[in-house]
Amino acid sequence: YSDYREMARAEAARDDGIDAVAIVTPNHLHHPVACAFMDAGIDVISDKPVTTTLDQALDLVQRQKQSGVIFGVTYAYAAHAMVRQARAMIAAGQLGEIRQIHVEYFQEWALDLTDQSDEIAPWRLDPAKGGDTFTVGDIGTHAEHLATFVTGKNLTAVRADFHVTGGPKSMEDTAFMQLRFDGNIPGTLMVSQAMAGTHCGLRLRVAGTKAGLEWDAENPEYLRYARVNEPAQTIARGYGSAMLPEALRFVRMPQGHPEALSDAWANLYTEFAIAIEARRNGVELSEDLLAYPTLQDGANGMRFVAAAARSNATGNWENC
């Protein structure tokens, strides 16, 4: 097809039409493409940030309610087995009452990127195509989602400072934030795509009244778990007594046989497929079976981006 609107109409009319569409375009096309396929009754898998504005994201939420389609968002880090392990441990109370949440994501790829760069990446520096933020919308949404997904705590307010620490550009490549979550839980979020010496430095740390845990995307098969006044434990991904059922269903290989980001993507698309198949066949799934990132997660990400941008402009705390 030469046009996504034509594709949506034609595929919806076919008896053997596509099961779903995956939207992996620059950000400004996410909303119109998603609308075309949702309105045609076709399930959607979208890259993040889910739109360029919060209003567009809320519009998609309403359209999904009307159409009833599945809408998954590709926060792929949420599908790592040890991320699901951390989420299950927190839900089971193994950390006690959550008291602090800290997340960071550092990369170096945009260190020399400028508004005049000839590479394909500068579309991200065009507000009409990428939205009002650069790094906050790109990887900040990953960090925000990871923190809320694992802890089960919604982000309620943010105090943000944007910076340019790499090549000269009109949008931020670095941001430092103070956060507040449900129950007035304090936290921090740091992101940069101009941090020399880093590659995929996504790390989450959560502290409770009983214990703390830490997960690092560059060492994704291990979870550091430390009870108060006890030696720290390293929980390894695989089959074993420390792994909880919510994580075991994502395990494919025994301990010592590496899994990585490609396995997380496979886990993510498996959950999308189960949800799509169930909708198409009218099958009711148990509520605890799937935990894939949804359109609502994508909309929450856009609330976070909008609040961070407002905070950077005003210097104040802004509600999410």
Side-chain angles (χ1 to χ4, degrees):
Y1 298 102
S2 60
D3 181 87
Y4 66 84
R5 297 179 184 87
E6 176 194 355
M7 179 181 176
R9 289 192 299 268
E11 289 295 323
R14 293 175 64 101
D15 293 334
D16 61 347
I18 60 173
D19 297 311
V21 63
I23 304 172
V24 293
T25 64
N27 301 347
H28 69 293
L29 291 171
H30 294 181
H31 178 264
V33 175
C35 288
F37 284 89
M38 280 201 294
D39 292 349
I42 295 174
D43 298 300
V44 174
I45 300 166
S46 177
D47 199 4
K48 52 81 240 159
V50 72
T51 55
T52 56
T53 69
L54 176 57
D55 285 344
Q56 288 177 344
L58 296 178
D59 177 64
L60 291 184
V61 170
Q62 291 302 314
R63 288 173 182 267
Q64 184 191 25
K65 290 179 180 178
Q66 295 168 2
S67 66
V69 301
I70 298 296
F71 196 119
V73 180
T74 56
Y75 290 117
Y77 301 109
H80 275 289
M82 299 314 290
V83 169
R84 296 299 176 99
Q85 172 77 7
R87 173 183 165 98
M89 290 173 67
I90 290 174
Q94 294 187 30
L95 270 64
E97 183 180 341
I98 301 302
R99 293 294 176 85
Q100 297 183 46
I101 303 168
H102 304 282
V103 63
E104 62 187 47
Y105 198 169
F106 294 139
Q107 301 175 335
E108 68 174 10
W109 75 267
L111 183 63
D112 297 323
L113 186 69
T114 70
D115 294 330
Q116 287 74 43
S117 296
D118 294 329
E119 306 295 330
I120 192 171
W123 69 261
R124 297 180 186 274
L125 297 176
D126 180 353
K129 294 181 178 179
D132 291 335
T133 67
F134 168 37
T135 294
V136 171
D138 188 17
I139 61 174
T141 50
H142 272 304
E144 175 271 336
H145 180 261
L146 184 67
T148 56
F149 179 80
V150 170
T151 63
K153 304 296 183 182
N154 293 315
L155 184 61
T156 60
V158 59
R159 166 68 184 88
D161 287 312
F162 291 5
H163 304 274
V164 175
T165 65
K169 55 183 71 72
S170 56
M171 304 176 76
E172 91 293 343
D173 59 29
T174 301
F176 306 127
M177 308 185 199
Q178 295 173 272
L179 308 177
R180 290 179 187 150
F181 296 86
D182 289 336
N184 210 32
I185 297 169
T188 60
L189 186 151
M190 300 188 295
V191 290
S192 178
Q193 289 173 309
M195 179 75 165
T198 63
H199 301 103
C200 185
L202 174 59
R203 183 169 67 161
L204 174 68
R205 288 171 287 179
V206 183
T209 53
K210 296 180 180 179
L213 59 75
E214 180 176 334
W215 181 78
D216 181 351
E218 292 188 347
N219 197 23
E221 300 208 290
Y222 300 95
L223 190 65
R224 184 182 185 273
Y225 175 57
R227 298 185 181 93
V228 174
N229 292 325
E230 294 185 22
Q233 303 176 35
T234 298
I235 303 173
R237 192 271 318 139
Y239 304 108
S241 60
M243 297 290 290
L244 299 178
E246 296 89 336
L248 275 174
R249 64 177 61 141
F250 276 18
V251 173
R252 294 184 172 83
M253 297 288 186
Q255 292 173 346
H257 296 264
E259 294 182 1
L261 183 60
S262 56
D263 297 277
W265 277 100
N267 291 334
L268 186 69
Y269 268 77
T270 296
E271 287 200 315
F272 289 156
I274 292 170
I276 291 168
E277 182 181 44
R279 184 188 78 83
R280 286 172 168 262
N281 294 333
V283 175
E284 290 289 333
L285 301 174
S286 60
E287 292 185 1
D288 63 347
L289 178 62
L290 303 178
Y292 64 86
T294 65
L295 177 56
Q296 188 59 59
D297 294 314
N300 290 343
M302 291 310 302
R303 285 192 177 90
F304 155 72
V305 170
R310 291 197 309 272
S311 177
N312 177 68
T314 65
N316 300 324
W317 281 92
E318 296 288 341
N319 293 330
C320 293

